[in-house]
Amino acid sequence: MSDHVSTGCDPLDELLGGGLERGAVTQVYGPPAAGKTNLALSAALDVAAGGDAALYIDTEGLSPDRMEQIARGRAGPNQTVDDLAGRLIVSEAFDYDEQTEAVQDTAEFAAEIELVVLDSATGFYRLRRDDDDGGETLRDVARQITHLLSLARKHDLAVLFTNQVFTDPDSDRSTALGGHTLNHWSGAILRLDRFRGGNRRATLEKHRAKPAGDTVQFSITDDGLVGDDGQQPPRRD
């Protein structure tokens, strides 16, 4: 296997065994404001800072200001924010059908990119599940993930999708939407939570080459993600 794709945060890369695995899908889930989109943006812009391209499927309403902030933090001395933005392909989806189309259209870019981000896979699922009891929509989301997985394997790229949580009424415990159906196709699963003092905690819940249960802490700053020692990864040249 070739090198992993960095998240732009050293502790998270270490937790994942080197970063986002190529040829596989990484699921990042957690409650609102846990840092899912910040992590996804950090990874995509780190790819762009390295001179490669990333595709970002946005169903949440990406903040251009936040993207510019993180790009400024990742840009090297010979790079501008526009340089990085030019290597980030953003596909906006305003409803579930547009999300489905954007995922299918990923095949057109797969040979030219290093990372695909789907942020989030399940935002529109919440709106549709009441219409069909969630079953058919969930199977369709799973088909989207398996489509991205097939592209990852074929083109040796990494895939990251963000997911939301629901509270199981029986156990009163929050878990990832989609349960076993989406977890099955995820090579790695990270849960993000807000932690003391505004920090975030990432818990490795599944990995193909590491035991589950390890955790790291990180913080979200104007420039992106930093480890609990306050150190950012080096800027790209």
CSV table of all heavy atoms in Angstrom, one decimal, residues 137-192:
chain,number,residue,atom,x,y,z
A,137,THR,N,-33.7,4.3,2.4
A,137,THR,CA,-32.7,5.4,2.4
A,137,THR,C,-31.4,5.0,2.9
A,137,THR,O,-30.3,5.3,2.4
A,137,THR,CB,-33.2,6.7,3.1
A,137,THR,OG1,-34.5,7.1,2.6
A,137,THR,CG2,-32.2,7.8,3.1
A,138,LEU,N,-31.4,4.2,4.0
A,138,LEU,CA,-30.2,3.7,4.6
A,138,LEU,C,-29.4,2.8,3.6
A,138,LEU,O,-28.2,2.9,3.5
A,138,LEU,CB,-30.5,3.0,5.9
A,138,LEU,CG,-29.2,2.4,6.6
A,138,LEU,CD1,-28.2,3.5,6.9
A,138,LEU,CD2,-29.7,1.7,7.9
A,139,ARG,N,-30.2,2.0,2.9
A,139,ARG,CA,-29.5,1.1,2.0
A,139,ARG,C,-28.9,1.9,0.8
A,139,ARG,O,-27.9,1.6,0.3
A,139,ARG,CB,-30.6,0.1,1.4
A,139,ARG,CG,-30.9,-1.0,2.4
A,139,ARG,CD,-31.7,-2.1,1.7
A,139,ARG,NE,-33.1,-1.6,1.5
A,139,ARG,CZ,-34.1,-1.7,2.4
A,139,ARG,NH1,-33.9,-2.2,3.6
A,139,ARG,NH2,-35.3,-1.3,2.1
A,140,ASP,N,-29.6,3.0,0.5
A,140,ASP,CA,-29.0,3.9,-0.6
A,140,ASP,C,-27.8,4.6,-0.1
A,140,ASP,O,-26.8,4.7,-0.9
A,140,ASP,CB,-30.1,4.9,-1.0
A,140,ASP,CG,-29.7,5.6,-2.3
A,140,ASP,OD1,-29.3,4.9,-3.3
A,140,ASP,OD2,-29.7,6.9,-2.3
A,141,VAL,N,-27.7,5.0,1.1
A,141,VAL,CA,-26.5,5.6,1.7
A,141,VAL,C,-25.4,4.6,1.6
A,141,VAL,O,-24.2,4.9,1.3
A,141,VAL,CB,-26.7,6.1,3.1
A,141,VAL,CG1,-25.4,6.6,3.7
A,141,VAL,CG2,-27.7,7.3,3.1
A,142,ALA,N,-25.7,3.4,2.0
A,142,ALA,CA,-24.7,2.3,2.0
A,142,ALA,C,-24.2,2.1,0.6
A,142,ALA,O,-23.0,1.9,0.4
A,142,ALA,CB,-25.3,1.0,2.6
A,143,ARG,N,-25.1,2.2,-0.4
A,143,ARG,CA,-24.6,2.0,-1.8
A,143,ARG,C,-23.7,3.2,-2.2
A,143,ARG,O,-22.7,3.0,-3.0
A,143,ARG,CB,-25.8,2.0,-2.7
A,143,ARG,CG,-26.6,0.6,-2.7
A,143,ARG,CD,-27.6,0.5,-3.8
A,143,ARG,NE,-28.7,1.4,-3.6
A,143,ARG,CZ,-29.9,1.0,-3.0
A,143,ARG,NH1,-29.9,-0.3,-2.5
A,143,ARG,NH2,-30.9,1.8,-2.8
A,144,GLN,N,-24.0,4.4,-1.7
A,144,GLN,CA,-23.0,5.5,-2.0
A,144,GLN,C,-21.7,5.2,-1.4
A,144,GLN,O,-20.6,5.4,-2.0
A,144,GLN,CB,-23.6,6.8,-1.4
A,144,GLN,CG,-24.9,7.3,-2.0
A,144,GLN,CD,-25.4,8.6,-1.4
A,144,GLN,OE1,-24.6,9.3,-0.8
A,144,GLN,NE2,-26.7,8.8,-1.6
A,145,ILE,N,-21.6,4.7,-0.1
A,145,ILE,CA,-20.3,4.4,0.5
A,145,ILE,C,-19.6,3.3,-0.2
A,145,ILE,O,-18.4,3.4,-0.4
A,145,ILE,CB,-20.6,4.1,2.0
A,145,ILE,CG1,-21.2,5.2,2.7
A,145,ILE,CG2,-19.2,3.7,2.6
A,145,ILE,CD1,-20.5,6.5,2.7
A,146,THR,N,-20.3,2.3,-0.7
A,146,THR,CA,-19.6,1.2,-1.4
A,146,THR,C,-19.1,1.7,-2.7
A,146,THR,O,-18.1,1.2,-3.2
A,146,THR,CB,-20.5,0.0,-1.5
A,146,THR,OG1,-21.8,0.3,-2.2
A,146,THR,CG2,-20.9,-0.6,-0.2
A,147,HIS,N,-19.9,2.6,-3.4
A,147,HIS,CA,-19.4,3.2,-4.6
A,147,HIS,C,-18.1,3.9,-4.4
A,147,HIS,O,-17.1,3.7,-5.2
A,147,HIS,CB,-20.4,4.1,-5.2
A,147,HIS,CG,-20.0,4.8,-6.4
A,147,HIS,ND1,-19.8,4.2,-7.6
A,147,HIS,CD2,-19.8,6.2,-6.6
A,147,HIS,CE1,-19.4,5.1,-8.5
A,147,HIS,NE2,-19.4,6.3,-7.9
A,148,LEU,N,-18.0,4.7,-3.4
A,148,LEU,CA,-16.8,5.4,-3.0
A,148,LEU,C,-15.7,4.4,-2.7
A,148,LEU,O,-14.5,4.7,-3.0
A,148,LEU,CB,-17.0,6.4,-1.9
A,148,LEU,CG,-18.0,7.6,-2.2
A,148,LEU,CD1,-18.2,8.5,-1.0
A,148,LEU,CD2,-17.5,8.4,-3.4
A,149,LEU,N,-16.0,3.4,-2.0
A,149,LEU,CA,-15.0,2.4,-1.6
A,149,LEU,C,-14.4,1.7,-2.9
A,149,LEU,O,-13.2,1.5,-3.0
A,149,LEU,CB,-15.6,1.3,-0.7
A,149,LEU,CG,-14.7,0.1,-0.3
A,149,LEU,CD1,-13.5,0.6,0.4
A,149,LEU,CD2,-15.5,-0.8,0.6
A,150,SER,N,-15.3,1.4,-3.8
A,150,SER,CA,-14.8,0.8,-5.1
A,150,SER,C,-13.8,1.7,-5.8
A,150,SER,O,-12.8,1.3,-6.4
A,150,SER,CB,-15.9,0.4,-6.0
A,150,SER,OG,-16.6,1.5,-6.5
A,151,LEU,N,-14.1,3.0,-5.8
A,151,LEU,CA,-13.2,4.0,-6.4
A,151,LEU,C,-11.9,4.1,-5.7
A,151,LEU,O,-10.8,4.2,-6.3
A,151,LEU,CB,-13.9,5.4,-6.5
A,151,LEU,CG,-15.1,5.5,-7.4
A,151,LEU,CD1,-15.7,6.9,-7.3
A,151,LEU,CD2,-14.8,5.2,-8.9
A,152,ALA,N,-12.0,4.0,-4.3
A,152,ALA,CA,-10.8,4.1,-3.5
A,152,ALA,C,-9.9,2.9,-3.8
A,152,ALA,O,-8.6,3.1,-3.9
A,152,ALA,CB,-11.2,4.1,-2.0
A,153,ARG,N,-10.4,1.8,-3.9
A,153,ARG,CA,-9.6,0.6,-4.2
A,153,ARG,C,-9.0,0.6,-5.6
A,153,ARG,O,-7.9,0.3,-5.8
A,153,ARG,CB,-10.5,-0.7,-4.1
A,153,ARG,CG,-10.8,-1.0,-2.6
A,153,ARG,CD,-11.8,-2.2,-2.6
A,153,ARG,NE,-12.0,-2.6,-1.2
A,153,ARG,CZ,-13.0,-3.4,-0.8
A,153,ARG,NH1,-13.8,-3.9,-1.8
A,153,ARG,NH2,-13.1,-3.8,0.4
A,154,LYS,N,-9.8,1.1,-6.6
A,154,LYS,CA,-9.4,1.1,-8.0
A,154,LYS,C,-8.3,2.2,-8.2
A,154,LYS,O,-7.3,1.9,-8.9
A,154,LYS,CB,-10.6,1.4,-8.9
A,154,LYS,CG,-10.2,1.4,-10.4
A,154,LYS,CD,-11.4,1.6,-11.2
A,154,LYS,CE,-11.1,1.7,-12.7
A,154,LYS,NZ,-12.3,1.9,-13.6
A,155,HIS,N,-8.4,3.3,-7.5
A,155,HIS,CA,-7.5,4.4,-7.8
A,155,HIS,C,-6.6,4.7,-6.6
A,155,HIS,O,-5.8,5.7,-6.7
A,155,HIS,CB,-8.3,5.7,-8.1
A,155,HIS,CG,-9.2,5.6,-9.4
A,155,HIS,ND1,-8.7,5.7,-10.6
A,155,HIS,CD2,-10.5,5.3,-9.5
A,155,HIS,CE1,-9.6,5.5,-11.5
A,155,HIS,NE2,-10.8,5.3,-10.9
A,156,ASP,N,-6.5,3.9,-5.6
A,156,ASP,CA,-5.6,4.0,-4.5
A,156,ASP,C,-5.8,5.4,-3.8
A,156,ASP,O,-4.8,6.1,-3.6
A,156,ASP,CB,-4.2,3.8,-5.0
A,156,ASP,CG,-3.2,3.6,-3.8
A,156,ASP,OD1,-3.7,3.0,-2.8
A,156,ASP,OD2,-2.1,4.0,-3.9
A,157,LEU,N,-7.0,5.8,-3.6
A,157,LEU,CA,-7.2,7.1,-2.9
A,157,LEU,C,-7.9,6.8,-1.6
A,157,LEU,O,-8.3,5.7,-1.3
A,157,LEU,CB,-8.1,8.0,-3.8
A,157,LEU,CG,-9.4,7.5,-4.4
A,157,LEU,CD1,-10.5,7.7,-3.4
A,157,LEU,CD2,-9.7,8.3,-5.7
A,158,ALA,N,-8.0,7.8,-0.8
A,158,ALA,CA,-8.6,7.7,0.5
A,158,ALA,C,-10.0,8.3,0.5
A,158,ALA,O,-10.3,9.3,-0.3
A,158,ALA,CB,-7.8,8.4,1.6
A,159,VAL,N,-10.9,7.8,1.3
A,159,VAL,CA,-12.3,8.3,1.4
A,159,VAL,C,-12.6,8.6,2.9
A,159,VAL,O,-12.3,7.7,3.7
A,159,VAL,CB,-13.3,7.3,0.8
A,159,VAL,CG1,-14.7,7.8,1.1
A,159,VAL,CG2,-13.1,7.1,-0.7
A,160,LEU,N,-13.1,9.8,3.2
A,160,LEU,CA,-13.6,10.1,4.5
A,160,LEU,C,-15.0,10.5,4.4
A,160,LEU,O,-15.3,11.4,3.6
A,160,LEU,CB,-12.7,11.2,5.1
A,160,LEU,CG,-13.0,11.7,6.5
A,160,LEU,CD1,-11.7,12.4,7.1
A,160,LEU,CD2,-14.1,12.7,6.6
A,161,PHE,N,-15.9,9.9,5.2
A,161,PHE,CA,-17.2,10.5,5.3
A,161,PHE,C,-17.6,10.8,6.8
A,161,PHE,O,-17.1,10.1,7.7
A,161,PHE,CB,-18.3,9.5,4.7
A,161,PHE,CG,-18.7,8.3,5.5
A,161,PHE,CD1,-19.7,8.4,6.4
A,161,PHE,CD2,-18.0,7.1,5.3
A,161,PHE,CE1,-20.1,7.3,7.1
A,161,PHE,CE2,-18.4,6.0,6.0
A,161,PHE,CZ,-19.5,6.1,6.9
A,162,THR,N,-18.3,11.9,7.0
A,162,THR,CA,-18.7,12.2,8.3
A,162,THR,C,-20.1,11.7,8.5
A,162,THR,O,-20.9,11.6,7.6
A,162,THR,CB,-18.7,13.7,8.6
A,162,THR,OG1,-19.6,14.4,7.7
A,162,THR,CG2,-17.3,14.3,8.3
A,163,ASN,N,-20.4,11.4,9.8
A,163,ASN,CA,-21.7,10.8,10.2
A,163,ASN,C,-22.2,11.5,11.4
A,163,ASN,O,-21.4,12.1,12.2
A,163,ASN,CB,-21.6,9.3,10.3
A,163,ASN,CG,-22.9,8.6,10.4
A,163,ASN,OD1,-23.9,9.1,10.2
A,163,ASN,ND2,-22.8,7.3,10.6
A,164,GLN,N,-23.5,11.4,11.7
A,164,GLN,CA,-24.1,12.0,12.8
A,164,GLN,C,-24.5,10.9,13.9
A,164,GLN,O,-24.2,9.7,13.6
A,164,GLN,CB,-25.3,12.8,12.4
A,164,GLN,CG,-25.0,13.9,11.4
A,164,GLN,CD,-26.2,14.7,10.9
A,164,GLN,OE1,-27.2,14.7,11.5
A,164,GLN,NE2,-26.0,15.4,9.8
A,165,VAL,N,-25.0,11.3,15.0
A,165,VAL,CA,-25.4,10.4,16.0
A,165,VAL,C,-26.9,10.3,16.3
A,165,VAL,O,-27.6,11.3,16.0
A,165,VAL,CB,-24.6,10.7,17.3
A,165,VAL,CG1,-23.1,10.6,17.1
A,165,VAL,CG2,-25.0,12.1,17.8
A,166,PHE,N,-27.3,9.2,16.9
A,166,PHE,CA,-28.6,9.2,17.4
A,166,PHE,C,-28.5,8.5,18.8
A,166,PHE,O,-27.6,7.8,19.1
A,166,PHE,CB,-29.6,8.5,16.5
A,166,PHE,CG,-29.5,7.0,16.6
A,166,PHE,CD1,-30.4,6.2,17.3
A,166,PHE,CD2,-28.5,6.3,15.9
A,166,PHE,CE1,-30.3,4.8,17.4
A,166,PHE,CE2,-28.4,4.9,16.0
A,166,PHE,CZ,-29.3,4.2,16.7
A,167,THR,N,-29.5,8.7,19.6
A,167,THR,CA,-29.5,8.1,21.0
A,167,THR,C,-30.4,6.9,21.0
A,167,THR,O,-31.6,7.0,20.7
A,167,THR,CB,-30.0,9.1,22.0
A,167,THR,OG1,-29.1,10.3,22.0
A,167,THR,CG2,-30.0,8.5,23.4
A,168,ASP,N,-29.8,5.8,21.3
A,168,ASP,CA,-30.6,4.5,21.4
A,168,ASP,C,-31.5,4.6,22.6
A,168,ASP,O,-31.0,4.7,23.8
A,168,ASP,CB,-29.6,3.3,21.5
A,168,ASP,CG,-30.3,2.0,21.5
A,168,ASP,OD1,-31.5,1.9,21.9
A,168,ASP,OD2,-29.6,1.0,21.1
A,169,PRO,N,-32.8,4.5,22.5
A,169,PRO,CA,-33.7,4.7,23.6
A,169,PRO,C,-33.6,3.5,24.6
A,169,PRO,O,-33.9,3.7,25.8
A,169,PRO,CB,-35.1,4.7,23.0
A,169,PRO,CG,-34.9,4.0,21.7
A,169,PRO,CD,-33.5,4.4,21.2
A,170,ASP,N,-33.1,2.4,24.2
A,170,ASP,CA,-33.0,1.2,25.1
A,170,ASP,C,-31.8,1.4,26.0
A,170,ASP,O,-31.8,1.1,27.2
A,170,ASP,CB,-32.8,-0.1,24.3
A,170,ASP,CG,-34.1,-0.4,23.5
A,170,ASP,OD1,-35.2,0.0,24.0
A,170,ASP,OD2,-34.0,-0.9,22.4
A,171,SER,N,-30.6,1.9,25.4
A,171,SER,CA,-29.4,2.0,26.2
A,171,SER,C,-29.1,3.4,26.7
A,171,SER,O,-28.2,3.6,27.5
A,171,SER,CB,-28.2,1.4,25.4
A,171,SER,OG,-28.0,2.2,24.3
A,172,ASP,N,-29.8,4.4,26.1
A,172,ASP,CA,-29.6,5.8,26.4
A,172,ASP,C,-28.2,6.2,26.0
A,172,ASP,O,-27.6,7.1,26.6
A,172,ASP,CB,-29.9,6.1,27.8
A,172,ASP,CG,-30.1,7.6,28.0
A,172,ASP,OD1,-30.6,8.3,27.1
A,172,ASP,OD2,-29.7,8.1,29.1
A,173,ARG,N,-27.6,5.5,25.0
A,173,ARG,CA,-26.2,5.8,24.6
A,173,ARG,C,-26.3,6.3,23.1
A,173,ARG,O,-27.0,5.7,22.3
A,173,ARG,CB,-25.4,4.5,24.6
A,173,ARG,CG,-24.0,4.7,24.2
A,173,ARG,CD,-23.2,3.4,24.3
A,173,ARG,NE,-21.8,3.5,23.9
A,173,ARG,CZ,-21.4,3.4,22.6
A,173,ARG,NH1,-22.3,3.1,21.7
A,173,ARG,NH2,-20.1,3.5,22.3
A,174,SER,N,-25.5,7.3,22.8
A,174,SER,CA,-25.4,7.8,21.5
A,174,SER,C,-24.5,7.0,20.6
A,174,SER,O,-23.4,6.6,21.1
A,174,SER,CB,-25.0,9.3,21.4
A,174,SER,OG,-23.7,9.4,21.9
A,175,THR,N,-24.9,6.7,19.4
A,175,THR,CA,-24.1,5.9,18.5
A,175,THR,C,-24.2,6.5,17.1
A,175,THR,O,-25.0,7.3,16.9
A,175,THR,CB,-24.5,4.4,18.6
A,175,THR,OG1,-23.5,3.6,17.8
A,175,THR,CG2,-25.9,4.2,18.0
A,176,ALA,N,-23.4,5.9,16.2
A,176,ALA,CA,-23.5,6.5,14.8
A,176,ALA,C,-24.7,6.1,14.1
A,176,ALA,O,-25.2,4.9,14.2
A,176,ALA,CB,-22.2,5.9,14.1
A,177,LEU,N,-25.3,7.0,13.3
A,177,LEU,CA,-26.4,6.7,12.4
A,177,LEU,C,-26.0,5.6,11.5
A,177,LEU,O,-24.9,5.5,11.0
A,177,LEU,CB,-26.8,7.9,11.7
A,177,LEU,CG,-27.8,8.9,12.3
A,177,LEU,CD1,-28.0,10.1,11.5
A,177,LEU,CD2,-29.2,8.2,12.6
A,178,GLY,N,-26.9,4.7,11.2
A,178,GLY,CA,-26.7,3.7,10.2
A,178,GLY,C,-26.2,2.4,10.8
A,178,GLY,O,-26.3,1.4,10.1
A,179,GLY,N,-25.7,2.5,12.0
A,179,GLY,CA,-25.3,1.3,12.7
A,179,GLY,C,-24.4,0.3,11.9
A,179,GLY,O,-23.5,0.8,11.2
A,180,HIS,N,-24.7,-0.9,12.0
A,180,HIS,CA,-23.8,-2.0,11.4
A,180,HIS,C,-23.7,-1.8,9.9
A,180,HIS,O,-22.7,-2.1,9.3
A,180,HIS,CB,-24.4,-3.4,11.7
A,180,HIS,CG,-23.7,-4.5,11.1
A,180,HIS,ND1,-22.4,-4.9,11.5
A,180,HIS,CD2,-24.0,-5.2,10.0
A,180,HIS,CE1,-22.0,-5.9,10.7
A,180,HIS,NE2,-22.9,-6.1,9.8
A,181,THR,N,-24.8,-1.3,9.3
A,181,THR,CA,-24.8,-1.2,7.8
A,181,THR,C,-23.7,-0.3,7.3
A,181,THR,O,-22.9,-0.7,6.4
A,181,THR,CB,-26.2,-0.6,7.3
A,181,THR,OG1,-27.2,-1.4,7.8
A,181,THR,CG2,-26.2,-0.5,5.8
A,182,LEU,N,-23.5,0.9,7.9
A,182,LEU,CA,-22.4,1.8,7.5
A,182,LEU,C,-21.1,1.4,8.1
A,182,LEU,O,-20.0,1.5,7.5
A,182,LEU,CB,-22.7,3.2,7.8
A,182,LEU,CG,-24.0,3.8,7.1
A,182,LEU,CD1,-24.1,5.3,7.4
A,182,LEU,CD2,-23.9,3.6,5.6
A,183,ASN,N,-21.1,0.9,9.3
A,183,ASN,CA,-19.9,0.5,10.0
A,183,ASN,C,-19.2,-0.6,9.3
A,183,ASN,O,-17.9,-0.7,9.2
A,183,ASN,CB,-20.2,0.1,11.4
A,183,ASN,CG,-20.6,1.2,12.3
A,183,ASN,OD1,-20.5,2.4,11.9
A,183,ASN,ND2,-21.1,0.9,13.5
A,184,HIS,N,-20.0,-1.5,8.7
A,184,HIS,CA,-19.4,-2.7,8.0
A,184,HIS,C,-18.4,-2.2,6.9
A,184,HIS,O,-17.4,-2.9,6.6
A,184,HIS,CB,-20.5,-3.6,7.4
A,184,HIS,CG,-20.0,-4.7,6.5
A,184,HIS,ND1,-19.4,-5.8,7.1
A,184,HIS,CD2,-20.0,-4.8,5.2
A,184,HIS,CE1,-19.1,-6.6,6.1
A,184,HIS,NE2,-19.4,-6.0,4.9
A,185,TRP,N,-18.8,-1.2,6.1
A,185,TRP,CA,-18.0,-0.7,5.0
A,185,TRP,C,-16.9,0.2,5.4
A,185,TRP,O,-16.2,0.7,4.5
A,185,TRP,CB,-18.9,-0.1,3.9
A,185,TRP,CG,-19.9,-1.1,3.4
A,185,TRP,CD1,-21.3,-1.1,3.6
A,185,TRP,CD2,-19.7,-2.2,2.6
A,185,TRP,NE1,-21.9,-2.2,3.0
A,185,TRP,CE2,-20.9,-2.9,2.3
A,185,TRP,CE3,-18.5,-2.7,2.0
A,185,TRP,CZ2,-21.0,-4.0,1.5
A,185,TRP,CZ3,-18.6,-3.9,1.2
A,185,TRP,CH2,-19.8,-4.5,1.0
A,186,SER,N,-16.8,0.6,6.6
A,186,SER,CA,-15.8,1.5,7.1
A,186,SER,C,-14.6,0.7,7.6
A,186,SER,O,-14.6,-0.1,8.5
A,186,SER,CB,-16.3,2.3,8.3
A,186,SER,OG,-17.5,3.1,7.9
A,187,GLY,N,-13.4,1.0,6.9
A,187,GLY,CA,-12.2,0.4,7.4
A,187,GLY,C,-11.7,0.9,8.7
A,187,GLY,O,-11.1,0.2,9.5
A,188,ALA,N,-12.0,2.2,9.0
A,188,ALA,CA,-11.7,2.8,10.3
A,188,ALA,C,-12.8,3.7,10.7
A,188,ALA,O,-13.5,4.3,9.9
A,188,ALA,CB,-10.4,3.6,10.2
A,189,ILE,N,-13.1,3.7,12.0
A,189,ILE,CA,-14.1,4.6,12.6
A,189,ILE,C,-13.6,5.4,13.7
A,189,ILE,O,-13.0,4.8,14.6
A,189,ILE,CB,-15.3,3.7,13.1
A,189,ILE,CG1,-15.9,2.9,11.9
A,189,ILE,CG2,-16.4,4.7,13.7
A,189,ILE,CD1,-17.0,1.9,12.4
A,190,LEU,N,-13.7,6.7,13.6
A,190,LEU,CA,-13.3,7.6,14.7
A,190,LEU,C,-14.6,8.3,15.2
A,190,LEU,O,-15.4,8.8,14.5
A,190,LEU,CB,-12.4,8.7,14.1
A,190,LEU,CG,-10.9,8.5,14.0
A,190,LEU,CD1,-10.3,9.8,13.6
A,190,LEU,CD2,-10.3,8.0,15.3
A,191,ARG,N,-14.7,8.3,16.6
A,191,ARG,CA,-15.7,9.1,17.2
A,191,ARG,C,-15.1,10.3,17.8
A,191,ARG,O,-14.0,10.2,18.5
A,191,ARG,CB,-16.4,8.3,18.3
A,191,ARG,CG,-17.4,9.1,19.1
A,191,ARG,CD,-18.1,8.4,20.2
A,191,ARG,NE,-18.9,9.4,20.9
A,191,ARG,CZ,-20.3,9.3,21.0
A,191,ARG,NH1,-20.9,8.4,20.4
A,191,ARG,NH2,-20.9,10.2,21.7
A,192,LEU,N,-15.7,11.5,17.6
A,192,LEU,CA,-15.2,12.7,18.1
A,192,LEU,C,-16.2,13.2,19.2
A,192,LEU,O,-17.4,13.1,19.0
A,192,LEU,CB,-15.1,13.8,17.0
A,192,LEU,CG,-14.2,13.5,15.8
A,192,LEU,CD1,-14.1,14.7,14.9
A,192,LEU,CD2,-12.8,13.0,16.3
